[in-house]
Every structure is written in C-alpha cells, then in structure tokens.
Amino acid sequence: MNTIGLVAFALVGSAKAIREEFDLFGIAVVGLAMAFAGGVTRDLLVNRVPLALQSPIEISLGLLGVSLAVGLSVVLDSPDDHPISLLSDAVGLAAFATTGAIVATDTGVSAFGVVAVATINAAGGGAFADILLDRSPFILFDDFYASCAVLGGSAYWLVVTAGGAGSTAAGVCAAVTVGIRLAAINYGWGLPTAQILGLTRQEGDDNP
Amino acid sequence: MNTIGLVAFALVGSAKAIREEFDLFGIAVVGLAMAFAGGVTRDLLVNRVPLALQSPIEISLGLLGVSLAVGLSVVLDSPDDHPISLLSDAVGLAAFATTGAIVATDTGVSAFGVVAVATINAAGGGAFADILLDRSPFILFDDFYASCAVLGGSAYWLVVTAGGAGSTAAGVCAAVTVGIRLAAINYGWGLPTAQILGLTRQEGDDNP
Amino acid sequence: MNTIGLVAFALVGSAKAIREEFDLFGIAVVGLAMAFAGGVTRDLLVNRVPLALQSPIEISLGLLGVSLAVGLSVVLDSPDDHPISLLSDAVGLAAFATTGAIVATDTGVSAFGVVAVATINAAGGGAFADILLDRSPFILFDDFYASCAVLGGSAYWLVVTAGGAGSTAAGVCAAVTVGIRLAAINYGWGLPTAQILGLTRQEGDDNP
C-alpha cells in the first residue's frame, strides 16, 4: 500500500507541476515533495533521520511516479483527475495516515499527537506541493480530504486505546481512511465554511 | 501567560482563515498552525519532540481559540482587529518570546541563537499562517511586530549574560516585548523600507 | 568559499526583499533566510542543532551581506543581477552543495540522500526566500540552477564511492557545481518543460 501511495502521490504532484509549465527539474521536485514531504515532516517531528534519505527503494518509487506523470501527460488531458489517479491517491492517503499513526504511537505522544502526525504524514505532502506552486494548500478550503486522515488516525488511536493489537488498528485506520475518502469523492462531500453556517456577518459587508 | 498566548494566537489565525472562506477543517488548521508552528519550529531547532504533540492541555487551549473565533465571527465584524484580540496577541507574543529565549538558553546556543529562537517562537506561527493563506508573511513588511520579540529576546540575553537569574530575565523579556508592542500599536510605529530611507533608486524606474 | 556563499546569498535575498519594498526587518529576515535556510534544513534532516544558531561568525557574515544589499541599492539599480553577485552566488552554490554532501556522507544516508541534502543545502535557501516573498520558488521553473547542485552532489558521491578521499570529492563537487553554473549563465541554459518536449496536450485546451 505504501508503494501505491508513493507512486500515486508523486504522479499527482508532478501532474500539477506540468500544468504550471515548470521545467523537468521542477516537475521532479514537486512530485517528490508531494510523495515525501509528509513522511519527512513526520520523521522530523519524532526526531529521526528521514527514511526517504536512507532508502533507495522509496526514492525509486517516487521517481517512477514522476516518470508516469510525464508519460501520461501525452495520452491524457488531466492525469491528476483520472479515476485511477483518484483511487491510487485515496489508497496512498490511507497508507500514509496508517504509517504516521504507527510511528507516532511508537514515539509515545498524546492522542492528539497521533491524529496530528497521521494527518501530517498523509496530507502534508500535498500541502507542501501547493505552497511550492504558490497556492493556498487545497486541503484547507476545498474537498473532504485531510479530514479522512483525521478520522483514520482517530480510529487507530481508539482501537489501540481499547486494547486492540497494532495490526488491527492499522487495518481499521486504513479501511476508515480509504472508505471515507472514496465516499467523499463519490458523493461530493465537503465541510461548510463559517459563511455557509451563517455564523458570520462578513457577507453583510458586501451588501451594505 | 502562555495560556493567553495560545488562545489568542489560535483565535487570530482562525479569524484570518474565516475571512478567506476556508472550510471548518482549514479554519482549525490555520488557527492551530498560528498557535503551535512557532513552538514546534523551536523544538525542531533544538532537537526535541515538539511539546504540542505531547501535551493534551496545550491542544485544548488551541481548539478553544479556534472555537472562540468561529463564535465571535457571529457577533463581531473583524475579531482579529478587536482591542481585546490585539491585547491578548501582544501578551501571547511576549509569552512565546520568553519561552523561546528560555529553551534556547538551556540548549546553549549563541547570543544570536537566543534572539533568533525567541523571535521564531513568537512570530513564526503568524508567518506560517500567512504562508498557508498564500500571502507574504505580514511580519516582514508591515508593522512593528516581530521586532518586539527581537528586542525582548535581546533583553533576556543581556540580563542572563550580566549574571541575572533566569526568572528575572524572563520577567524583563516579557515586559519589554509586551510594552514595546503596545506602544507600537498605540503610536502606529513601523520600520522604514529601503525606499523610504532614500537608499535606492528603484523608484526612479517608475518615472522614467 | 563558505564565507563568500553566506555573504552572497544574504545579499541576493535582501536585494529581492528591497525590490518588494519590505521594511528593514523584512529585508534582514529574507537575507538571513536565503543564507541560512538551506543549512538549517540540512542540519534538521540529519538531526543536529543548526550550526547557524551556534556560531556568531556565520551570522555576522549574513548580516554583512544584508548591509551590503542595502548599501549597494544606492549605487546599483539591481544588485542581484550584477555580474559580481552572479559570480559570488555561483561560488556560494558550489560551497553549499559541497558542505551538504560532506555532512550527508558523514551521516551515512543513501546515494539519493547525499544528492538531496547537497541540493537542499545549496538551493533551499533561495526557495525559502521566494516562499517568504509569496512566489513559486524560481528554481523550479526557471534557469539551470539547482540542477548544478544535483550534478555536483552526484559527482561527490561518485568520487567517494570510487574510493576517492573526502577532500578530492569536495574539490570535484565544488568545481563541477561552479563550472556548470557559470556555463549555464553564460549560454543561457535551461531545462525543457513537458510542454516544450511536446509531451502534453494541455496546450490544445487553449485552442479548442
């Protein structure tokens, strides 16, 4: 699963960079950043030398995703919106959320720490790629995306706290994340803004 | 004081995200980022697992600030410009600068290191929140804000170097930071740009 | 060489901030960020307390670069495009790539890790400065810049792997980086985008 995630995230990141007409170096950097920034941040938070710098296999998978993005841009108009990309991306989100939750639990942080590290591991790469592309991270205002990792990480913590085995918790976390993400894509879920909730009067400013 | 700072910073960050019409997840992330990014960066720089991931109390305070921002957006037009917000924000700036200076001194870095960590702890959260909102960090071109933390951190280092007790230094640092910040708000202080100093000829480019 | 690099990078970063009309604090922060962000990221990745926080000499060099930028903005229209700046910048790029490669090799990461840390050390400061200025990092779509550090880091790894001494590898890395960078400036080298390679059909979207 982690394999699918690395390839899928690198593909989606590179496809975004291609659309912005970055050069080949930029395409590789944004793709690798999307695939690895979440995991590197996780490792920094728990004080480890990032795995991505140590394992040649992980990097090869990331570069495979970058090559796929460049190759697919010949045959597809928007490789990052294709159903296969969306499915791989959802699997990657689940894999990364699970890895994050496991690493955080091993380090012995609080319940919030587990959920935060799971979410950062899963969604941090995409957020960092958007900052490199000079946008607000899309996970912050669009879509029901990082929320899936929040729910998956919470599920992991609940299972472990209830005395469940780590492998059970990992399975539950992955299933919850990927399930909710696919449902969100399918039904177009999103979280409301404060404006939609009618909680703010800012709109009044536009119609004085 | 740290308590007030966490709540105030989360409130100001969330209020900014509400104004940008982010969804509820984005509002929470920007608020928590503003409250914790400075402290997490501080902990990374001195090689510790971030406190924010370990202490459930700190996170609860941050979430309280987020809730306040959503709640206040009902009754106030711009909760982040309200005098109470500005005052809390100044107290938070002082509290975070002091914490940063203490942690840096314990780690045994240089004088510049103490001032840098104090400033990053105090102003880094706001800068990171602005990057998430796809703006240049306001502390870099507007306002006499981070400079207060620079002066507070310098005061801390001076007192410690002069042989003062850590608690005295902390008190002086907090008083200097909050005092200068409130004076800066009151009198509208700002630092000059190179253009205003008449040090550059770039303006000539506009009037050939 | 490291000395030249610190001064040159701080100068280029501050000159960019002056052009954006940041205040004096912002000018200093962007200059220091450009000079030190690469090295600090390198130290975080290999789990060390950043050298920049410990050594007063390094910071003094950075502040010298900032002062030079403010001073030069009186006498030059665009100090960051001046041949002397470009030459110093190329030397700095080479010095930082070499330092990164040495530190990464000492930590015992993979071949990719050596190249990645060399590149981040050399080009990370400029990328971070651009994020502070609310732009996409220029290294990602413009110019043959970070690629020089990639080639220099690869040369370092090749020499070390082939059994060469560390000092030989460092010399080769620096020579490769600065040589390729100067050639790239001279001949206007750049990497192609996917669009130029004719690998994408996105252009068709504009002309339906």
Side-chain angles (χ1 to χ4, degrees):
Chain A
M1 256 176 86
N2 206 41
T3 306
I4 300 177
L6 283 172
V7 176
F9 274 32
L11 194 162
V12 175
S14 292
K16 286 186 188 184
I18 289 172
R19 197 173 295 171
E20 298 278 330
E21 310 203 4
F22 280 22
D23 68 22
L24 287 183
F25 180 78
I27 293 169
V29 168
V30 176
L32 295 179
M34 174 132 186
F36 295 109
V40 168
T41 309
R42 174 203 68 207
D43 287 336
L44 289 181
L45 289 175
V46 302
N47 264 342
R48 302 199 309 194
V49 174
L51 196 60
L53 294 180
Q54 298 180 299
S55 155
I57 299 166
E58 299 227 321
I59 289 299
S60 313
L61 291 171
L63 289 173
L64 174 63
V66 171
S67 314
L68 274 178
V70 174
L72 285 177
S73 67
V74 191
V75 290
L76 294 174
D77 266 340
S78 49
D80 53 346
D81 287 343
H82 195 271
I84 293 178
S85 301
L86 286 176
L87 181 58
S88 319
D89 188 69
V91 173
L93 191 75
F96 283 16
T98 309
T99 318
I102 294 172
V103 171
T105 307
D106 287 349
T107 313
V109 296
S110 69
F112 174 82
V114 172
V115 176
V117 173
T119 308
I120 288 171
N121 196 9
F128 188 67
D130 283 339
I131 290 177
L132 289 179
L133 297 165
D134 195 19
R135 310 177 185 168
S136 273
F138 76 97
I139 57 163
L140 296 182
F141 52 89
D142 202 23
D143 238 354
F144 200 81
Y145 186 84
S147 315
C148 308
V150 171
L151 295 172
S154 308
Y156 185 95
W157 181 80
L158 282 174
V159 173
V160 167
T161 306
S167 54
T168 316
V172 170
C173 171
V176 165
T177 308
V178 77
I180 295 179
R181 175 64 189 144
L182 292 178
I185 295 173
N186 207 26
Y187 300 110
W189 289 356
L191 285 173
T193 63
Q195 280 78 5
I196 290 174
L197 287 178
L199 282 174
T200 169
R201 303 188 315 190
Q202 244 100 10
E203 289 145 291
D205 298 348
D206 301 330
N207 314 306
Chain B
M1 255 177 87
N2 207 41
T3 306
I4 299 177
L6 284 172
V7 175
F9 274 32
L11 192 162
V12 174
S14 292
K16 286 185 187 184
I18 290 172
R19 198 174 294 171
E20 298 279 329
E21 310 203 2
F22 280 22
D23 68 21
L24 287 184
F25 179 78
I27 293 169
V29 168
V30 177
L32 294 179
M34 174 132 185
F36 294 109
V40 168
T41 308
R42 175 202 66 208
D43 287 337
L44 290 181
L45 288 176
V46 302
N47 264 342
R48 303 199 309 194
V49 174
L51 195 61
L53 294 180
Q54 298 180 300
S55 156
I57 299 167
E58 298 228 322
I59 289 300
S60 314
L61 292 171
L63 289 173
L64 174 63
V66 172
S67 314
L68 275 177
V70 175
L72 285 176
S73 67
V74 190
V75 290
L76 295 172
D77 266 337
S78 49
D80 53 347
D81 287 343
H82 195 271
I84 293 178
S85 301
L86 286 176
L87 180 60
S88 319
D89 187 70
V91 173
L93 190 74
F96 283 15
T98 309
T99 318
I102 294 173
V103 171
T105 306
D106 287 351
T107 313
V109 296
S110 69
F112 173 81
V114 171
V115 176
V117 174
T119 308
I120 288 171
N121 195 8
F128 188 66
D130 282 339
I131 290 177
L132 289 179
L133 297 165
D134 194 20
R135 308 177 187 169
S136 273
F138 76 97
I139 57 163
L140 295 184
F141 52 89
D142 202 23
D143 237 356
F144 201 82
Y145 186 85
S147 315
C148 308
V150 171
L151 295 172
S154 308
Y156 185 95
W157 181 80
L158 281 175
V159 172
V160 166
T161 306
S167 54
T168 315
V172 169
C173 172
V176 165
T177 309
V178 76
I180 295 178
R181 176 63 188 145
L182 291 179
I185 296 175
N186 208 26
Y187 299 109
W189 289 355
L191 285 173
T193 62
Q195 280 78 7
I196 289 175
L197 287 179
L199 283 173
T200 170
R201 303 189 315 193
Q202 244 100 9
E203 288 146 292
D205 298 349
D206 301 331
N207 313 305
Chain C
M1 255 178 86
N2 206 41
T3 306
I4 299 177
L6 284 172
V7 176
F9 275 32
L11 193 163
V12 175
S14 292
K16 286 185 186 183
I18 289 173
R19 198 173 292 171
E20 298 279 328
E21 311 204 1
F22 279 23
D23 68 22
L24 287 183
F25 179 79
I27 294 169
V29 168
V30 176
L32 295 179
M34 174 131 185
F36 294 109
V40 168
T41 308
R42 175 203 67 206
D43 287 336
L44 289 181
L45 289 175
V46 302
N47 264 343
R48 302 199 309 193
V49 174
L51 195 61
L53 294 180
Q54 298 179 299
S55 154
I57 299 167
E58 298 228 321
I59 289 300
S60 313
L61 291 171
L63 290 173
L64 173 63
V66 172
S67 313
L68 274 178
V70 175
L72 285 176
S73 67
V74 191
V75 289
L76 294 174
D77 266 338
S78 51
D80 53 347
D81 287 342
H82 195 271
I84 293 179
S85 301
L86 286 176
L87 180 60
S88 319
D89 188 70
V91 173
L93 191 75
F96 283 14
T98 310
T99 318
I102 294 173
V103 171
T105 306
D106 287 351
T107 313
V109 296
S110 69
F112 173 81
V114 171
V115 177
V117 174
T119 308
I120 289 171
N121 196 8
F128 188 66
D130 282 340
I131 290 177
L132 288 179
L133 296 165
D134 195 18
R135 309 178 185 166
S136 273
F138 75 97
I139 57 163
L140 295 183
F141 52 89
D142 201 22
D143 238 356
F144 200 81
Y145 186 85
S147 315
C148 309
V150 171
L151 295 172
S154 308
Y156 184 96
W157 181 81
L158 283 174
V159 173
V160 166
T161 306
S167 53
T168 316
V172 170
C173 172
V176 165
T177 309
V178 77
I180 296 178
R181 176 63 189 144
L182 291 179
I185 295 174
N186 206 26
Y187 301 109
W189 289 356
L191 285 172
T193 62
Q195 280 78 8
I196 289 174
L197 287 178
L199 282 173
T200 170
R201 302 190 316 193
Q202 243 100 11
E203 289 145 291
D205 297 348
D206 302 331
N207 314 305

